[in-house]
Amino acid sequence: MQIDEISGLEAKCSAKGVTRTVSLFMVRDRNPGIGDWVLVHVGYAIQTICEKEAKETWELFDQMLLED
């Protein structure tokens, strides 16, 4: 997801039309900023990633959904 807003250790993030409030607690040492991409799991940003990696990940998820 891409970070849209930050307030302390919480961020509003979005991807593919979905917006979520995400905790930045686990990536606070990387000092993520607005516009950065994060890998999110159960409400926590668990890793910062580059835009290219984010788009490739979404493409893989889309392919997996088509195979079901």
Side-chain angles (χ1 to χ4, degrees):
M1 300 189 92
Q2 189 171 32
I3 298 173
D4 298 322
E5 299 175 27
I6 297 176
S7 177
L9 288 177
E10 283 195 346
K12 291 212 189 270
C13 299
S14 61
K16 293 194 166 218
V18 175
T19 301
R20 296 279 186 264
T21 300
V22 173
S23 172
L24 298 176
F25 179 79
M26 296 177 73
V27 294
R28 67 189 181 282
D29 60 327
R30 293 181 188 97
N31 199 28
I34 294 172
D36 288 347
W37 292 85
V38 289
L39 184 61
V40 177
H41 181 64
V42 293
Y44 287 87
I46 59 172
Q47 183 178 344
T48 56
I49 58 176
C50 68
E51 182 177 5
K52 180 180 181 236
E53 194 173 12
K55 289 182 180 190
E56 289 173 352
T57 301
W58 277 116
E59 288 173 6
L60 286 172
F61 287 146
D62 288 344
Q63 287 175 8
M64 289 182 343
L65 289 173
L66 289 175
E67 292 176 8
D68 267 350

